[in-house]
Amino acid sequence: MSVTTATDTLLDGTHTVLTPEYVEFRFTLAGLYSRFLAWLLDAFIVFALTSAILTALSLVMMAFPGFASALGIVVYFLVDWGYAITLETVWSGRTVGKRVMSLRVIQESGVRIGFYHAALRNLARPVDRLPVFYLVGGIAALVSSNQQRLGDMLAGTIVVRERRLRVPAALGAAAGEGLLTDPLFVSRVKRLSAEEREVVLTAALRREELRMEARLRLFAALGARLQDALALEKPAHLSDEKWALLVAAALLPPKGKARSTPPRRATA
């Protein structure tokens, strides 16, 4: 889905994505302080993992004392890179530190990152860390309109705040609809891609934040897209929004479990 991007200068900093349907989704950029705290926690975890590995390799280091320092540096960087790249890839742009601080890395287009983006932004960390404590990366983030360090600029990523939302009652009410007991409908919904699921759930959870005109355009486009993706025709008695809400309801976890939503999105 092609998008155009824009930013404004609110206190926390924002990044706005404009969809082809001219619906704006706004992300709150993470500040340097929260990112630094997340990094501190991740750095502690990396240090602990590195120490554990070096302890396990202590016999080898005793046998080759001249290589002990070099081996320690190599192990540290391998653990550091592997920890960040792996978690950000499989955990939708989050590490343990980012999760604790409610932060997430996403692409500038507003969608989740993959291995390519996680690898690029993390392999550039040695440069961002120069000379100490991310001075280069911090300065780059301060002068960047999207608060990006050099690794983020290289990978086309941004770090944003996220918040947890409870599922609106309207989605729970949809559970009584007959479609949700139709095995064909449910099985088709479960085959939706991760990106399609994220779009549906985001639209459902954030719809009240949209202006009416934008809301109608969004669900009209989403309804048509879902008919193609599911290879099912929308029942005539359902509106585009109700159709999308039924798909969202079929994607929800069992009642009582909270869902972690994508980063904050709202209209301008």
Side-chain angles (χ1 to χ4, degrees):
M1 181 175 64
S2 63
V3 298
T4 58
T5 60
T7 59
D8 57 28
T9 56
L10 294 178
L11 182 61
D12 289 334
T14 60
H15 179 80
T16 304
V17 177
L18 182 65
T19 72
E21 293 79 28
Y22 298 100
V23 177
E24 291 184 348
F25 293 108
R26 179 172 295 170
F27 301 82
T28 300
L29 295 170
L32 292 182
Y33 179 69
S34 58
R35 292 176 68 173
F36 179 72
L37 292 179
W39 171 77
L40 279 180
L41 178 55
D42 287 329
F44 175 79
I45 295 173
V46 168
F47 176 77
L49 290 173
T50 302
S51 298
I53 293 174
L54 291 179
T55 298
L57 295 175
S58 59
L59 293 178
V60 176
M61 295 172 66
M62 291 175 61
F64 302 95
F67 296 97
S69 298
L71 181 61
I73 294 174
V74 171
V75 169
Y76 172 78
F77 277 104
L78 288 178
V79 173
D80 187 33
W81 281 329
Y83 168 84
I85 293 173
T86 300
L87 285 187
E88 287 184 359
T89 299
V90 304
W91 215 0
S92 303
R94 293 176 298 178
T95 58
V96 174
K98 290 185 178 69
R99 183 181 177 88
V100 170
M101 297 304 299
S102 296
L103 307 180
R104 185 190 296 267
V105 182
I106 61 173
Q107 296 182 48
E108 290 176 324
S109 59
V111 300
R112 68 181 60 194
I113 65 171
F115 173 78
Y116 171 79
H117 307 92
L120 277 182
R121 72 184 305 273
N122 284 291
L123 290 176
R125 284 185 183 276
V127 179
D128 278 312
R129 285 172 173 161
L130 294 174
V132 290
F133 290 111
Y134 279 90
L135 183 60
V136 170
I139 293 174
L142 284 174
V143 301
S144 168
S145 60
N146 285 330
Q147 301 183 22
Q148 296 166 295
R149 60 177 178 83
L150 297 181
D152 289 314
M153 295 178 187
L154 178 64
T157 57
I158 55 176
V159 183
V160 299
R161 294 184 179 276
E162 64 176 356
R163 63 180 182 179
R164 302 180 72 88
L165 294 178
R166 298 192 66 82
V167 177
L171 287 188
E177 293 287 345
L179 272 178
L180 292 181
T181 61
D182 183 347
L184 176 61
F185 174 75
V186 174
S187 64
R188 296 280 178 89
V189 169
K190 297 300 183 184
R191 293 182 204 167
L192 291 175
S193 67
E195 182 179 354
E196 289 169 332
R197 293 181 182 211
E198 185 170 347
V199 169
V200 172
L201 291 170
T202 297
L205 291 171
R206 307 289 184 180
R207 66 192 189 283
E208 298 294 344
E209 300 176 5
L210 298 173
R211 296 182 183 131
M212 184 54 66
E213 183 179 355
R215 183 169 172 173
L216 291 173
R217 285 200 304 265
L218 174 63
F219 281 102
L222 183 57
R225 179 173 174 177
L226 286 174
Q227 289 187 79
D228 292 337
L230 300 175
L232 292 173
E233 186 174 349
K234 176 177 71 68
H237 69 283
L238 292 179
S239 65
D240 291 317
E241 181 170 335
K242 188 65 173 179
W243 168 245
L245 291 182
L246 281 170
V247 174
L251 291 171
L252 291 178
K255 189 175 181 180
K257 291 186 180 180
R259 174 177 292 272
S260 177
T261 66
R264 178 175 178 266
R265 301 180 178 184
T267 55

